[in-house]
Amino acid sequence: DHDVITRSMLSDFEYFREEGIMDYSISLKVIQLGADEQDADMHYRRRTIEQGVKNKKLIRSLENRDLYYSLGIIDYLQLYNNQKRLERHAKQVKKLERNVDVSVQNPNVYA
């Protein structure tokens, strides 16, 4: 499971880097179904999760049948353009340090 998720995330990061996109966040949700849940709750959760798998919003673990993953991009996406370059430079000047780690990053660094 770890390798599949890692490959998927790295592929997404590479795509964003190639497109010059920065300022995004990745969300990984792990859902563990437990045997200790009551029957009605378990039935409802399994039905909901199976619908998520069918819609390709959830991925079933290859190693544990009761474990599911949801991987998604959250936050907004922005192009790294001249305005963002200027913002980065201004933040560095304000902090008086060229190598300061500011929130605006070149996509090559961000990925």
Side-chain angles (χ1 to χ4, degrees):
D1 293 340
H2 179 269
D3 291 341
V4 172
I5 292 170
T6 300
R7 281 195 308 272
S8 177
M9 290 174 63
L10 291 175
S11 174
D12 290 345
F13 298 158
E14 180 62 19
Y15 170 78
F16 292 141
R17 187 192 64 73
E18 288 173 358
E19 295 297 318
I21 296 173
M22 53 162 274
D23 201 13
Y24 53 89
S25 299
I26 303 296
S27 170
L28 174 63
K29 182 177 182 179
V30 179
I31 302 168
Q32 172 75 52
L33 291 179
D36 60 341
E37 296 182 55
Q38 296 185 13
D39 291 338
D41 291 339
M42 178 64 93
H43 178 71
Y44 174 77
R45 285 190 70 197
R46 282 199 185 277
R47 190 174 63 211
T48 303
I49 286 173
E50 290 303 326
Q51 187 66 35
V53 171
K54 181 179 176 184
N55 294 335
K56 298 185 179 182
K57 295 182 179 182
L58 291 174
I59 302 166
R60 179 177 289 196
S61 170
L62 299 174
E63 300 166 6
N64 180 342
R65 192 162 188 261
D66 290 331
L67 191 63
Y68 297 83
Y69 302 102
S70 174
L71 182 65
I73 300 164
I74 59 173
D75 210 344
Y76 54 94
L77 307 176
Q78 295 185 22
L79 289 177
Y80 189 73
N81 53 24
N82 287 334
Q83 181 179 352
K84 289 298 176 184
R85 286 180 185 88
L86 182 59
E87 180 182 340
R88 177 173 171 74
H89 180 70
K91 287 181 178 182
Q92 288 173 325
V93 169
K94 184 178 178 181
K95 299 222 184 236
L96 299 175
E97 187 178 336
R98 180 167 171 70
N99 294 323
V100 70
D101 186 19
V102 294
S103 62
V104 179
Q105 295 289 339
N106 182 305
N108 291 323
V109 173
Y110 203 84

